[in-house]
Amino acid sequence: MKHFILVLIALFFCATSAVSRPNQKDFKKVEIETLVKDSTLNVRALEIIKSEFTAPVYLSSKGDYGIIYPKAVFNHVDSLKAKAFYNHQINLSTDTLKLNFRALAVTSKAGFGITVGSPALLYKLDADKAKHRVVYSENHPKVFYDAMDFWNDQEGIAIGDSIDGCLSVIITRDGGDTWEKCPCSDLPKGLENEGAFAASDTNIKIIGHDTWVATTAGRVYYSPDKGRTWEVYQTPIKMEKETEGIFSIDFYDALQGFAIGGDFTKPEDNSYNKIRTSDGGKTWELVAQNQNPGYRSCVQYIPHSQGKGLVAVGFKGIDYSKDAGNSWKHLSNEGFYTIRFLNDSVAYAAGAGRIAKLTFKE
């Protein structure tokens, strides 16, 4: 009996350890499968929809709205059976209105995209071009929206460069049908020319009610209540020049976060461009100082990695960390602007001229 009890105890601790042990994957390479190739394509806004099927969706700098359907969706269509995927793409630009999208957000009910420059036009998207409609517009010489995200199907946020002394923040509480701009009296005072980089649509991160916004001034705005109140925290990332600051931010949970940036005019410079927090963004520390990667436009946590796995992409390639950003491994010279993970080893990435499926392998 005693021996039996000891065996049960051992089995219990083994099971507990297996459940709590973080993902121990150590990626050695990445396989890249091009899904869409077009020399005129420039994509910085990319998301993954998950409904009856899973598919990447994107918006481009020339007004394209695309959905990349998996082959299984069209198995019944003879002309498409030979294709591994189907790219359904429509262009929202007109002869008189050239649209440049840098931000995209999706809920379980709809998609939304906002253009850069004036006028800023926020579209509620539909696979049927005739059903697209503008749900918010803003005219101002300085208007420039950089990123979007949603807390839930009803409540969402978009952020842009400073106007009249504060960041531009617009919020919806009715599923995206109407949007209201937050007055500067409800926001922290902005610094001169403070804004965000519209490089990868990852300047906003939402977990539950918590929201973090990263800026060109190397600051992180934080709201604990879905954008109703805000605090702002300084970080040690480089931001002396207009081409420097935080380009991308991600959080694994309410405490563990990572941000990356640098200077896109000096992409090999790898100092003061990678920072990490373990207290929800209140304080940040520099990591991997004077180690690659240099400038990157997007960083994302790998799902189920307990905050240890990170991937950063930019026009200089793809890099991977298995130790929360302390050290990095360069996996590919292939350039992308933005990346989104489907699971702990598959992601979709987009950039200049293409959208691809990335499979990370040990």
Side-chain angles (χ1 to χ4, degrees):
M1 177 63 71
K2 182 178 179 180
H3 175 73
F4 178 70
I5 292 173
L6 289 174
V7 170
L8 286 179
I9 292 173
L11 288 172
F12 170 78
F13 278 107
C14 286
T16 303
S17 175
V19 171
S20 62
R21 186 173 61 234
N23 187 342
Q24 297 297 321
K25 290 184 178 180
D26 183 5
F27 294 128
K28 301 294 195 304
K29 62 180 180 178
V30 58
E31 294 182 354
I32 300 172
E33 177 189 1
T34 299
L35 303 180
V36 179
K37 189 174 183 179
D38 180 347
S39 61
T40 67
L41 196 65
N42 187 320
V43 175
R44 299 176 186 270
L46 174 72
E47 295 294 340
I48 301 174
I49 57 173
K50 298 177 182 180
S51 54
E52 66 272 17
F53 58 88
T54 298
V57 296
Y58 64 91
L59 290 169
S60 82
S61 62
K62 62 176 184 176
D64 297 313
Y65 170 48
I67 305 174
I68 304 174
Y69 292 102
K71 176 182 177 180
V73 176
F74 291 99
N75 274 342
H76 61 288
V77 182
D78 290 341
S79 62
L80 297 175
K81 283 183 179 180
K83 296 184 178 181
F85 62 89
Y86 171 66
N87 179 36
H88 173 72
Q89 179 177 293
I90 58 176
N91 189 274
L92 304 181
S93 293
T94 65
D95 291 339
T96 58
L97 186 62
K98 304 302 180 184
L99 303 178
N100 183 346
F101 289 103
R102 298 291 187 92
L104 166 68
V106 296
T107 69
S108 67
K109 300 182 181 300
F112 299 86
I114 191 167
T115 62
V116 296
S118 184
L121 300 174
L122 198 163
Y123 284 80
K124 190 170 185 178
L125 302 167
D126 194 279
D128 182 350
K129 183 176 181 178
K131 295 181 180 179
H132 287 291
R133 61 190 178 95
V134 175
V135 291
Y136 177 84
S137 64
E138 183 176 344
N139 284 277
H140 192 283
K142 292 185 177 181
V143 69
F144 200 102
Y145 281 91
D146 308 281
M148 296 181 68
D149 207 346
F150 272 72
W151 292 285
N152 51 54
D153 281 350
Q154 291 298 308
E155 299 170 293
I157 180 174
I159 61 99
D161 294 354
S162 292
I163 296 177
D164 298 329
C166 70
L167 280 187
S168 295
V169 179
I170 58 174
I171 291 176
T172 181
R173 307 283 184 192
D174 62 1
D177 288 330
T178 62
W179 296 73
E180 295 291 335
K181 188 165 186 178
C182 298
C184 284
S185 58
D186 292 346
L187 296 167
K189 185 177 180 180
L191 301 180
E192 185 177 0
N193 297 322
E194 184 173 22
F197 289 107
S200 63
D201 193 19
T202 51
N203 310 101
I204 303 172
K205 179 61 182 183
I206 287 174
I207 294 180
H209 291 188
D210 295 327
T211 310
W212 297 268
V213 173
T215 79
T216 57
R219 303 204 298 173
V220 174
Y221 287 61
Y222 168 69
S223 172
D225 50 13
K226 295 189 287 188
R228 291 180 172 86
T229 62
W230 294 87
E231 301 174 65
V232 64
Y233 305 115
Q234 188 63 54
T235 78
I237 207 160
K238 64 168 66 177
M239 42 74 184
E240 286 84 9
K241 296 165 30 180
E242 290 184 355
T243 54
E244 298 173 342
I246 302 175
F247 279 76
S248 178
I249 190 169
D250 196 20
F251 273 75
Y252 186 81
D253 53 33
L255 296 177
Q256 300 178 84
F258 200 91
I260 201 164
D263 185 343
F264 64 82
T265 66
K266 298 179 179 179
E268 306 303 332
D269 189 347
N270 55 21
S271 63
Y272 296 92
N273 74 314
K274 300 173 287 291
I275 56 175
R276 181 177 63 204
T277 182
S278 58
D279 60 8
K282 296 180 178 64
T283 61
W284 295 80
E285 62 175 333
L286 290 164
V287 295
Q289 265 287 70
N290 302 308
Q291 299 177 37
N292 287 331
Y295 163 77
R296 293 293 182 266
S297 54
C298 184
V299 66
Q300 294 285 279
Y301 277 101
I302 298 171
H304 312 302
S305 66
Q306 299 300 306
K308 302 297 182 183
L310 289 158
V311 169
V313 301
F315 63 81
K316 286 291 185 176
I318 304 168
D319 297 87
Y320 160 69
S321 174
K322 67 175 182 178
D323 55 12
N326 289 321
S327 63
W328 294 80
K329 182 185 301 180
H330 188 65
L331 297 182
S332 174
N333 290 327
E334 298 290 338
F336 294 96
Y337 297 144
T338 192
I339 185 172
R340 299 292 185 277
F341 273 91
L342 175 64
N343 54 44
D344 62 4
S345 58
V346 176
Y348 293 98
R354 65 174 169 169
I355 300 169
K357 179 181 178 182
L358 276 52
T359 303
F360 295 87
K361 298 204 169 181
E362 295 182 273

